[in-house]
Amino acid sequence: MKSSTTLSATVQGQEKELKNEGCRLSVSDEVNEEVDEKVKPNLSVDPMAKRQDQSTRPQPRKRKRKVSNIELCPVKTLRTWGDLYSANYRWFQSGFKKLDLLLGGGINTGEVLEVVGSSSIGKTQLCLTVASYLAAVSQDSIIYVDTANTFSPTRVQTLYQAFTTKPLRQGLKQIKVYKAVNAFALNTVLEEIKSKLQNRNDPFFRRLRLLIIDSIGIIAPFTKKFRGLALMAETGRRIQALAQRFNLALLVINSTVRAEGPTALKPALGETWSHFADARISMYFNPLNKSERLMALVKSHNMVRRSSIIL
């Protein structure tokens, strides 16, 4: 009897252990199933909805890079009639009535005026006339940059005495001549003028109103190479900066070169240089009458292109 009772007790004890182990196994299985459900992706959710949720989240701010305030040339703004007649932008008569008529009254300050023409057509004579007339009728200063050795003091004296009765010595003090033998010397002269305008110690530069460059074609031999184009662009930026920053009138002379056709001519220095001029005047001979010279306004930011005028 004792053996039967002990046997039944051991059997009951094993059954209890098995039940406990089964309970333990069932709990562990439930935990594993919960972990698997967390790890497994939820296929019932639309992936496009997740993208939309991500797009609505606030994005981190991007850091803006600081840009230096260095400017090679001030930004050009649109010129209005109010600007033209204000104290900042003035215009003056050139002493050449045909040129004033073509420009709508005179030469504007703060701009670059380019005069294009073939040799022996009168470009230098035009520059000497403008310089002599401005010195005769005002107290303003004029700088004449001579790159082709064409400046004539005797011609300036004759023109000055024709415009006024003031003493000749007083008028000649208002005109200062610089010589430039190549493009590098021209840039050196422009940089020297800029430094003196910034210092404002010399009364001559405080009254400076007109800067003449006769002629800019001195850069042409350097434009055949890449460095020459960079030099031309640097010269153009310096000329624009002088006109706009110091409110000067820049009168620049340019020559012509052969174009397509037996008698066709075009301005030197190509299309790249044309962007540095605010206005361009073309001087040429009449094809029907070679002894007759014509002048036309072919480019201007403020004026409408005008037809040719007989000189």
Side-chain angles (χ1 to χ4, degrees), residues 5 10 13 21 53 64-65 71-72 83 92-93 108 111 167 177 191 211 226 229 257 284 292:
T5 54
T10 54
E21 288 180 358
D53 294 338
K64 295 182 179 180
R65 295 182 179 179
E71 292 186 20
L72 294 176
D83 294 335
F92 58 89
Q93 293 182 348
N108 291 327
E111 290 187 355
V177 181
E191 191 65 26
L211 174 59
F226 178 75
L229 294 175
V257 294
Y284 57 96
E292 190 175 68

Side-chain angles (χ1 to χ4, degrees), residues 107-161:
I107 300 175
N108 291 327
T109 58
E111 290 187 355
V112 180
L113 173 62
E114 181 185 14
V115 179
V116 180
S118 58
S119 59
S120 304
I121 200 170
K123 302 186 299 295
T124 300
Q125 177 68 19
L126 176 65
C127 294
L128 296 176
T129 302
V130 175
S132 303
Y133 181 80
L134 185 60
V137 301
S138 68
Q139 299 296 325
D140 296 326
S141 303
I142 303 101
I143 289 181
Y144 197 107
V145 182
D146 186 12
T147 64
N149 198 21
T150 56
F151 182 81
S152 175
T154 56
R155 186 58 181 164
V156 171
Q157 178 180 350
T158 304
L159 292 169
Y160 181 82
Q161 293 176 345

Side-chain angles (χ1 to χ4, degrees), residues 68-86:
S68 60
N69 296 325
I70 299 175
E71 292 186 20
L72 294 176
C73 183
V75 179
K76 297 177 67 175
T77 57
L78 293 176
R79 300 283 296 277
T80 62
W81 287 108
D83 294 335
L84 291 175
Y85 289 99
S86 63

Side-chain angles (χ1 to χ4, degrees), residues 3-24:
S3 61
S4 63
T5 54
T6 56
L7 182 63
S8 63
T10 54
V11 171
Q12 290 178 358
Q14 289 179 357
E15 288 179 353
K16 289 182 179 180
E17 289 179 359
L18 288 173
K19 288 181 180 179
N20 293 332
E21 288 180 358
C23 294
R24 291 173 185 173

Side-chain angles (χ1 to χ4, degrees), residues 38 75 78 119 143 151 186 214 237 253 269 271 298:
K38 291 181 180 179
V75 179
L78 293 176
S119 59
I143 289 181
F151 182 81
L186 175 60
D214 184 15
R237 286 194 295 267
I253 302 301
L269 304 180
E271 290 292 332
V298 296

Side-chain angles (χ1 to χ4, degrees), residues 55-71:
S55 62
T56 55
R57 293 177 184 175
Q59 298 294 331
R61 294 182 179 180
K62 295 181 180 180
R63 294 182 179 180
K64 295 182 179 180
R65 295 182 179 179
K66 294 183 179 180
V67 182
S68 60
N69 296 325
I70 299 175
E71 292 186 20

